[in-house]
Each structure stands twice: as C-alpha cells, then as structure tokens.
Amino acid sequence: MKNITGFGKFVIYSRIALHVCIIYLFKVKPWQYPRFLRRAFILLMSFRHNAVVKVFNGYKLQLYLPAYPCRAFFYALDSKLLKTPPGPITIVFSMTKACSYKCPHCYQKKDGGPDLQEQKLIETLINVRDKGVAMFDIEGGEPFLRFERLLNLIKALDSRSEIWVNTTGMHVDKNNLTALQANGLFGLMISIHSPDRKIHDDFTGIAGSFETACQAIKLCKDLDLVVSINSVLAEQEINDGKLNDLMELAKSLKADFVQLIHPKPSGLWLDKSDHMQNDKSFITDVQQQHLLYNSKAKQFYPALAAQVFEERKTGFGCTAGAVDRFYVNATGEIQPCEFLNISFGNVNIEDFDVIYNRMRSYFNNPCQDWLCCTQAQSISEIIKKYELQATPLPWQYTQELIKTWDRGPQTPLYKKLGIYKK
Ligand code: SF4
C-alpha cells in the first residue's frame, strides 16, 4: 500500500477542485459562487500537509473528512460552507458505557446514569446527522459488547455518513464485521497504546488485549475495511523513539492511519498533570513526525494523524462545541468534546435542538486554546466544590463555569474562511 504524495497528490486535489466547481455551480446562487469557491479552496488547502490515502471507495484527505468522491464528502462540504451557522462535520457518539477494559485514561468511566433507550439513541443519532455531521465515530465503552444495538444504529444511517466504530478489538469477528459492512460500515478505529504488547496489556489491564487488537485489524483488512490505530502513546515512549515502532507495527498490519492522541486531563485523568506532553518543543517534535509520516519519504507507511498537528493554532485550533466536532455520551449528555467533562443538557430531559443551539451559541466563534488542557482544573474545582459523584457536569454547573472561560484568540484559518459572522 502506498499513500499519494507529490505530483499524484496535486492531480487528486486538482480533480477535487474541478469537481467541486462543477457541482456547486448549480447549488450556489450565482452572486455567491465566487465567495463559495474561495472558501472551498481555503478549506481544501488546509488538508495539504496530509498524504492522500487511497481507500476502497475513494480518497481520504484527512482522517475526519469523509472520503472523496462519496456522498458523505459533499454532505460535509455543504455542512461547513453552505449552512449558517456552519455545521460540525464529525461526532464521537457513545452508544454504551459497557466495557471490561481498565484503561487509566478513560474519559467517561466516571459518567453516571444508564445507557439511553435504543429508540432515543437512534433519534439522537438522526438529529446529529441532520445538523450536518458526515463522519460518525461510534464508540462505547466497547460497542461490540452490545452488537444488536450497534447494528441498528448503523442501519439507521445512510450514504450521507461515513461510519467508523471505535473499539478495543474485543468481540470483533468476521460475522459481525460482515453484517456491519453490509449496512454501511466504513472502518474501525482500534486502540493500541504501545507497540510493546506487555505495555499495552498492562495499560488496558487485560492480558492478551494487544493480540486481540492486532487480530481485529487483520480481519478488517481481509474485508477491505479502513483501519485507524488510535494511540495515546506515553511521553516516555515517544522520547524513546517508539512512535517509529508503532508506525512499523501499523505498516505490518496494513493499517491506513495511525491517530496519535494527545493525553488529556479528562475523566479518570482529570487531575493528572505529569507527563501530559504539554512542553512546546515536545509538541513541535510530534508535529514534525506528522509531516514526515505524510511525506513521500514515508509513503509506504500509514498516514499519521497527530492531534497536536491537526489542532495547532495555525490549523483547526480547538474544534469543540460543534465547530467541527462534539460528543454524545452513552446517557444522552451533549458535550462539546469527549475530553471536556461538561454537559449542555441531556436528551432525556430536553429537546436535542434546544441543547444543541445552546451549545452552539456559546461556541459561536472558533478559538485556538485547547480547552481540554486549559480548563480541566476549572472543571475539577466545580466537581469538588459541589461534591459531584459523576461526570459530566450537568448544565446548571456548566452554565456557571463557562462564563469564566477564556477560549483564546480566534482561529486564523476560520477567520480566513469567513464563515463565522463574529
Ligand atoms: S477540547 Fe478542543 S483541543 Fe481538546 S480535544 Fe477537544 S476539540 Fe481538541
């Protein structure tokens, strides 16, 4: 497998640009067309640092942008460039808290309440899709533990959505993958937190979990499903050059992406401050690795999607609050991001639109600061102050808290796009 870089990438981008010009000529009012094209060009070029990954149904310019030329790709473009205010493109959507793993960094282990009723869950899924979300990352807990529920969710979506399932690999087998694929599954995100099997098994608290994850990847690739390895690789391991080992492992397993997730003070790690990879030079090094593993020199490796690169100040910044992404937890809480343990409301209590609009009115302008890093302490203080036993903070406390937040300067990329009024 070879990623597309250099001249090949230029050809793909030119093809997309031409295709977009033609399609939107009939979709956009003539006097709005030049402005639309300018915005589409800026958006397209914001992905230029990534290799193009060829997948079974087209080309991925970025992990969270649906593959071109699928319907979901254009649905994402409509959401971002035609809607006012612009819609989010992606969601992390939790369908159950059930999980037998004991990962110490879990952002939702302390969440309270029962899983949403299935009918409400599906209704919420459709509401999310109708807000413009084109890329679904359906997660748990462990989604494969409640397989019928997972299958019904996927059946409820259509080709406007690129559907991923986020899993440990546990309970994944050929039969259930085939059933999901027949109903529109695009790929799996499978967690491997170290290239060293013992370190990964110790981290998850489950002996054999490394092997389980590797087997799940192989099954996916046999079925031509797309795979991203999701990894919260420890600071020490990155310092020891283990990111290269992880990329070698991913290459040997024929994974398409490696998503390197920056550790977050959230959930079980809410009060954690050591080894959180906050050092500027450390982050710059990881950003360089991102560029390297998306270049011609590494075109036979999976593409690296380093969160600290995508969310850099000159990139997308913090995209929480449905700027680009948000989170629905298993109990129906609407959160700005999975790593922010605050809620704008619960769909069991209020209408989805009311909660969503409330969240959008707060995140009405994209900003640069990584709120998961800058505001964890303030969330923790509220939890302690009111002796709350579960996360996320209910809306009554969130409301009090966010008034005090500074989200940093406006994200330049969004300023340039001009899709936000403020
Ligand atoms: S809070 Fe913002 S910076 Fe942090 S992970 Fe979520 S979107 Fe990214």
Side-chain angles (χ1 to χ4, degrees):
M1 189 189 65
K2 179 174 148 188
N3 291 334
I4 303 166
T5 59
F7 183 69
K9 187 160 103 175
F10 172 76
V11 171
I12 300 279
Y13 270 67
S14 303
R15 180 178 147 189
I16 296 173
L18 190 62
H19 196 170
V20 167
C21 286
I22 294 167
I23 285 205
Y24 286 89
L25 184 60
F26 304 103
K27 260 188 166 183
V28 178
K29 295 190 179 89
W31 59 92
Q32 292 173 339
Y33 187 63
R35 190 178 65 182
F36 169 83
L37 285 188
R38 181 182 162 274
R39 289 174 173 172
F41 180 75
I42 294 169
L43 188 63
L44 189 62
M45 291 317 289
S46 68
F47 305 118
R48 70 189 182 282
H49 299 291
N50 298 331
V52 174
V53 179
K54 173 99 181 72
V55 293
F56 69 92
N57 62 350
Y59 302 93
K60 293 280 287 177
L61 307 189
Q62 196 228 27
L63 180 58
Y64 285 94
L65 181 71
Y68 168 82
C70 300
R71 191 176 171 208
F73 175 88
F74 291 101
Y75 192 66
L77 229 55
D78 289 357
S79 174
K80 193 75 8 222
L81 300 181
L82 298 187
K83 274 183 179 249
T84 310
I89 286 181
T90 180
I91 183 130
V92 179
F93 191 94
S94 175
M95 50 153 278
T96 179
K97 281 195 307 180
C99 183
S100 55
Y101 280 41
K102 301 165 189 122
C103 306
H105 68 326
C106 184
Y107 48 72
Q108 51 131 309
K109 209 55 148 193
K110 289 185 178 171
D111 288 4
D115 287 352
L116 273 185
Q117 293 286 327
E118 189 169 314
Q119 196 185 349
K120 192 54 138 178
L121 188 74
I122 291 177
E123 186 187 307
T124 307
L125 183 88
I126 298 304
N127 282 331
V128 166
R129 195 269 316 280
D130 291 347
K131 291 298 172 201
V133 166
M135 194 276 203
F136 281 81
D137 178 7
I138 300 176
E139 65 153 31
E142 173 46 67
F144 281 86
L145 272 175
R146 299 196 66 183
F147 181 70
E148 285 306 315
R149 190 172 163 93
L150 175 61
L151 184 59
N152 290 339
L153 273 179
I154 291 185
K155 280 181 178 171
L157 294 170
D158 60 25
S159 60
R160 279 171 287 181
S161 307
E162 183 175 283
I163 309 166
W164 292 76
V165 174
N166 198 335
T167 174
T168 59
M170 188 73 120
H171 307 293
V172 172
D173 62 37
K174 193 171 176 184
N175 289 340
N176 56 29
L177 275 184
T178 309
L180 296 177
Q181 188 176 32
N183 285 285
L185 177 71
F186 177 81
L188 294 193
M189 295 191 179
I190 301 178
S191 304
I192 296 185
H193 296 304
S194 169
D196 180 304
R197 71 180 57 224
K198 180 166 182 334
I199 294 176
H200 176 79
D201 285 3
D202 288 349
F203 189 82
T204 61
I206 301 290
S209 58
F210 181 90
E211 191 52 34
T212 299
C214 293
Q215 287 307 324
I217 294 171
K218 286 178 192 160
L219 274 175
C220 281
K221 293 319 297 177
D222 287 348
L223 294 171
D224 206 17
L225 287 163
V226 182
V227 170
S228 171
I229 291 179
N230 281 1
S231 186
V232 182
L233 193 58
E235 187 170 296
Q236 188 58 50
E237 287 205 89
I238 294 180
N239 283 334
D240 291 345
K242 293 291 164 57
L243 178 56
N244 292 328
D245 294 356
L246 182 66
M247 296 306 289
E248 288 293 345
L249 171 74
K251 183 184 172 198
S252 72
L253 292 167
K254 302 189 174 66
D256 302 278
F257 293 90
V258 171
Q259 181 175 207
L260 187 63
I261 301 168
H262 184 246
K264 309 285 194 304
S266 171
L268 294 178
W269 272 0
L270 187 60
D271 291 314
K272 186 170 161 65
S273 56
D274 56 328
H275 307 300
M276 297 306 272
Q277 305 178 14
N278 289 328
D279 184 70
K280 267 195 181 153
S281 65
F282 183 93
I283 290 175
T284 305
D285 286 350
V286 173
Q287 290 172 337
Q288 291 302 322
Q289 293 292 318
H290 177 105
L291 292 172
L292 175 66
Y293 278 103
N294 282 278
S295 70
K296 196 171 175 61
K298 298 286 183 184
Q299 64 183 327
F300 292 100
Y301 285 78
L304 179 62
Q307 225 172 35
V308 294
F309 184 85
E310 305 289 7
E311 296 185 337
R312 70 199 186 282
K313 291 185 189 313
T314 53
F316 287 94
C318 179
T319 56
V323 166
D324 274 336
R325 66 190 295 182
F326 65 111
Y327 180 57
V328 177
N329 93 343
T331 66
E333 301 288 350
I334 306 298
Q335 299 180 221
C337 174
E338 66 273 27
F339 297 112
L340 285 170
N341 300 121
I342 61 171
S343 170
F344 281 74
N346 187 300
V347 294
N348 276 323
I349 299 168
E350 288 179 288
D351 188 65
F352 175 83
D353 273 2
V354 171
I355 307 170
Y356 178 83
N357 291 338
R358 180 186 288 149
M359 181 170 70
R360 278 319 264 133
S361 69
Y362 179 71
F363 291 92
N364 59 0
N365 196 15
C367 294
Q368 293 176 13
D369 283 5
W370 296 345
L371 296 178
C372 49
C373 301
T374 59
Q375 299 302 334
Q377 198 184 336
S378 72
I379 296 172
S380 175
E381 279 165 10
I382 294 277
I383 290 175
K384 284 172 191 146
K385 179 175 167 189
Y386 293 104
E387 298 178 356
L388 302 176
Q389 300 304 312
T391 52
L393 295 186
W395 166 237
Q396 64 187 109
Y397 300 109
T398 298
Q399 191 174 18
E400 174 189 329
L401 179 67
I402 56 178
K403 283 184 203 148
T404 66
W405 282 9
D406 174 1
R407 299 195 295 119
Q410 194 182 354
T411 312
L413 173 61
Y414 278 100
K415 209 169 176 178
K416 208 165 149 195
L417 271 172
I419 53 178
Y420 282 84
K421 292 216 166 69
K422 282 177 71 182

